[in-house]
Amino acid sequence: MYKVEGAGKKAGKEFANVYREGKIVGSASITFIEWMRKRVPERQLLPEQMALIRWYEKR
């Protein structure tokens, strides 16, 4: 199971981290998450990326 948390800002962009078993397994900017959600078919996404998109949709 993946856990996603907002990670604050880096270089002026807001980021989110994906954790699995307490370790960071992925990270992406909110802008990139929005882009993935709109442009990339779900079948091509990794589970970590899907977790980021689901977190963004609930946010």
Side-chain angles (χ1 to χ4, degrees):
M1 186 53 115
Y2 295 100
K3 179 181 176 184
V4 181
E5 294 180 354
K9 289 189 175 187
K10 294 179 188 175
K13 294 184 179 182
E14 190 176 351
F15 277 78
N17 291 331
V18 181
Y19 296 89
R20 183 173 182 210
E21 298 177 9
K23 296 180 182 180
I24 295 177
V25 293
S27 183
S29 70
I30 301 301
T31 307
F32 183 67
I33 296 169
E34 290 173 351
W35 178 85
M36 275 194 305
R37 183 175 168 257
K38 293 176 184 174
R39 306 270 173 132
V40 181
E42 285 188 15
R43 67 182 183 279
Q44 292 182 342
L45 296 172
L46 297 172
E48 296 89 353
Q49 294 169 325
M50 283 302 301
L52 285 167
I53 289 173
R54 297 294 175 240
W55 172 81
Y56 176 78
E57 288 173 344
K58 290 179 185 177
R59 194 169 170 250

